Amino acid sequence: MVNQPKVTPNFQWVEPMVQEQVKKLVQVNIDGKLDSYLKKIYKHKADAEVRIEYKLIWNKQKKYECSFLFDFDGQTFMYKSKVAFKFPEDLVNHAFEHFKEFMSKQESKPV
């Protein structure tokens, strides 16, 4: 895919090795779970602005919390973990799954 969303990570108290793993996993999710949605967005508007901003925090309980902001050319979805997770990859996958469900519901709404 030629067009890619602008991804802005933010980490607090997260080890560099975990940061790199999370960045790679975010890209895998973009390429896998969001690929069909991105194609539709860019097909309708080639210069659409697509952003994904996320923040991952290693908390005092030695677990991860996150928030994701998905902005697809003005349409916004916010995901914030309600509970902390032991594994950061679970949080990332969970956030993208919720966003995918949100986008599916948007597609099924009558015009």
Side-chain angles (χ1 to χ4, degrees):
M1 177 182 302
V2 176
N3 294 345
Q4 283 287 310
K6 181 180 181 210
V7 180
T8 307
N10 183 345
F11 298 99
Q12 288 186 346
W13 307 292
V14 178
E15 293 180 10
M17 184 179 78
V18 174
Q19 290 182 25
E20 289 307 311
Q21 291 172 339
V22 168
K23 288 177 186 177
K24 287 178 185 175
L25 186 57
V26 165
Q27 190 59 50
V28 166
N29 273 278
I30 290 169
D31 294 340
K33 292 180 181 172
L34 299 187
D35 187 48
S36 63
Y37 298 108
L38 291 172
K39 285 179 183 176
K40 289 175 186 175
I41 289 168
Y42 290 126
K43 180 181 175 184
H44 288 83
K45 186 177 177 187
D47 64 344
E49 184 178 329
V50 180
R51 296 179 303 120
I52 300 172
E53 299 174 10
Y54 64 94
K55 183 177 188 177
L56 186 70
I57 300 168
W58 174 248
N59 68 22
K60 292 179 182 179
Q61 291 77 34
K62 300 188 185 297
K63 292 187 177 184
Y64 295 94
E65 301 172 27
C66 79
S67 63
F68 275 79
L69 173 68
F70 298 90
D71 184 352
F72 282 65
D73 207 37
Q75 186 173 13
T76 303
F77 175 77
M78 179 79 171
Y79 172 81
K80 185 173 171 99
S81 57
K82 294 178 183 171
V83 297
F85 282 63
K86 185 174 181 180
F87 302 106
E89 54 272 8
D90 291 342
L91 269 176
V92 172
N93 290 329
H94 201 66
F96 275 89
E97 192 61 36
H98 278 276
F99 180 69
K100 186 177 137 186
E101 290 171 8
F102 170 79
M103 289 299 287
S104 293
K105 289 176 185 174
Q106 298 305 307
E107 285 184 342
S108 64
K109 284 185 178 178
V111 178

